[in-house]
Amino acid sequence: MHLTTLARQLRAIASLAIAPAALSLASPAALGQAEKPQYGGQLNIGNVYVTVSPLSSDHVDWAWKHNQDTGLVYEQLFAADLSKSKRNGGKYSFSPDAWLPPDALRGELAESWKMEQNPLRVVVQLRKGVMFPARPGVMEARELTSEDVVGSYDRLSKSPKKIPGYFDHLTKVEANDKYTVTFHFKEYNAEWDYRFGWGYYSAIVPKEVAAAGAKDWKNLNGTGPFMFDSYTQSASLSFNKNPNYWGKEKIGGTDYKLPFVDKITYRYIKDEATFLTALRTGKLDVLEAVRWSAVEELKRSAPQIKWNKYLANGGNFIALRMDTKPFDDIRVRRALNMAVDKQAIIKSYFGGNAEMLNYPMHMNYTGYYEPLDSMPPEIKELYTFNPARAKQLLAEAGLAKGFSFKVQTSSSSTDADLLALIAAYLQKVGVTMEIETLDYGAYLSAMTTRKNAPGYFMFLGHTNPTTALRKSFVKGQMWNPSQFYDPTIEKMMSEVLAEPDERVRQVKVRQMTRIILAQAPALFLPSPYVYTGWWPWVKNYGGELRAGADRPGPIHARIWVDQELKKKMGK
């Protein structure tokens, strides 16, 4: 793309209207609730990825699910300010998988922080008196210090599994005194607070756990509101209350010591019918992700359940390997998109409960998201059903007789019917899609080792506006199953991350999104609306999902259980 053309397009989209945030249907009665909390009881929770068991207890394995599984034990420098949730009269749903707007950020282990310009650095002051509890055979109880932050960073930065370039903006992380940590910058990076502050891999792990073996769940030990109890493979992960936790929660103007409940168990259930039954019968107190198709029946059979509706925090697509024939030809990739009636899928498969364009930018990303009706014709065409044009493009690519290709999917996916529907559409233009189902470990490994099939079916979390583009459309990145590469995107990504002005970043991200979509690196599919369900005895909760990067721990630690109400309801 010529620079003059790029400049014109940048100016053209600078003033585009932005789509509104996703709908939230939390019960009005739950808003501003200020009942007096009760201590005790336990919670059984099915997380957003209820079908996917924990991947690792050690953050140096760079497992995306680490925060979801250990976020009750390990804390980070920063977390979401949950007082600004919609339930509390604020403007944030706290449902995006890894996006905390600057005004929704609070210190967790950090008491304060400041960015200094000359030299460029961030100085963090830690909270005093925060304790690691005793863990028999691992460590004695002791206070958190700056050395724990530096040690956690050093282990991450030296990990062979780390994301390429992730910490290249830093020269070193230094402990200045017992409670002061300085992050020395080589250059500004717009994701600095996310990458080692509240991101997927930002847990503060004591050196004793690392020495004992952080991969062993029995050694799990952090400053958080809960302590590890037990892990049963593919079934449950349980935590007991940390009686000496430092944190508090203000409810009705009064500060209460956290946590409220004595025990939290995360349940892992692969079968959809089974986890829906567990919610309906009260065996699950909270189920964070329920497909729209199941909600109406649950509303009839268990009308007391409360609901929150949100637009899925990820994109549905079949990645098409751009380094593999025939998908190295853009005409083939565009043809597959036009061969599928996406509007009919929204109407029939999703019952109208989906949005056509929600990837790679989420509709919640105000300033970064651009609606489909504002996109140029070559992008709109990808979302328009036109099998005749699809056949024409395939013929132009020398594939008039069609072809076959393999697409890999995970056994944890609940969208097998959707894949079958897409296969039927493609068959009508002469393309045979062979579906291979792998267990989640093998499925993930295929992508991370770049050995995935030419087609790779994913529901991929957005993360946040800049990371959504960096992780999937920059060369060498882990979450890039299409093996996308474009020198223009490489250059613009560097510019975006180096840009301190968010308004400028927003314009460039919108332009990058256009460039990426136009190349059709995937067969893009609609994104569904999803529901979170919980029983009325679950208090101080409104369907919030993340207080950081896929980290529900701080949310769950603030829930209390009305045990009398639960007993009255016979659960």
Side-chain angles (χ1 to χ4, degrees), residues 170-377:
L170 295 172
T171 57
K172 65 177 179 178
V173 178
E174 180 181 24
N176 303 102
D177 58 41
K178 190 175 182 180
Y179 304 109
T180 306
V181 182
T182 299
F183 291 80
H184 296 271
F185 282 59
K186 178 171 62 178
E187 59 195 8
Y188 179 81
N189 187 294
E191 295 182 354
W192 71 265
D193 56 336
Y194 160 76
R195 293 199 181 184
F196 193 77
W198 55 271
Y200 281 93
Y201 319 105
S202 306
I204 305 304
V205 179
K207 61 183 179 181
E208 294 91 337
V209 169
K215 297 181 189 298
D216 188 336
W217 287 94
K218 293 179 181 179
N219 296 333
L220 199 68
N221 197 50
T223 58
F226 287 85
M227 299 183 293
F228 172 78
D229 176 42
S230 65
Y231 173 44
T232 302
Q233 179 70 36
S234 302
S236 64
L237 181 60
S238 294
F239 306 89
N240 293 325
K241 178 177 184 174
N242 177 0
N244 297 314
Y245 180 58
W246 62 271
K248 297 179 180 179
E249 169 80 341
K250 188 180 290 293
I251 298 177
T254 301
D255 283 331
Y256 293 91
K257 182 177 172 59
L258 292 173
F260 294 116
V261 299
D262 293 332
K263 188 181 187 73
I264 289 181
T265 299
Y266 291 157
R267 302 289 181 184
Y268 305 103
I269 308 170
K270 286 194 172 183
D271 179 68
E272 184 177 23
T274 303
F275 64 69
L276 292 176
T277 298
L279 176 64
R280 179 176 55 79
T281 59
K283 292 180 180 178
L284 283 177
D285 302 288
V286 180
L287 182 55
E288 292 184 335
V290 182
R291 291 207 290 179
W292 66 270
S293 55
V295 172
E296 288 306 314
E297 172 56 32
L298 283 167
K299 285 182 176 179
R300 288 191 292 269
S301 59
Q304 305 97 328
I305 293 176
K306 294 173 176 281
W307 296 100
N308 183 63
K309 180 181 179 182
Y310 63 95
L311 186 57
N313 291 294
N316 262 341
F317 57 85
I318 298 175
L320 306 173
R321 287 195 66 143
M322 298 170 66
D323 63 349
T324 303
K325 290 185 179 300
F327 299 131
D328 58 344
D329 190 324
I330 190 173
R331 293 171 296 187
V332 179
R333 302 194 302 270
R334 294 184 66 84
L336 264 59
N337 275 279
M338 286 181 265
V340 176
D341 191 343
K342 300 172 185 180
Q343 193 61 57
I345 287 175
I346 290 177
K347 183 178 180 180
S348 60
Y349 184 81
F350 291 115
N353 293 278
E355 297 290 346
M356 184 70 80
L357 177 59
N358 190 51
Y359 181 81
M361 285 296 110
H362 195 285
M363 291 177 69
N364 272 358
Y365 294 164
T366 302
Y368 295 92
Y369 177 82
E370 183 178 0
L372 184 58
D373 60 12
S374 297
M375 291 289 183

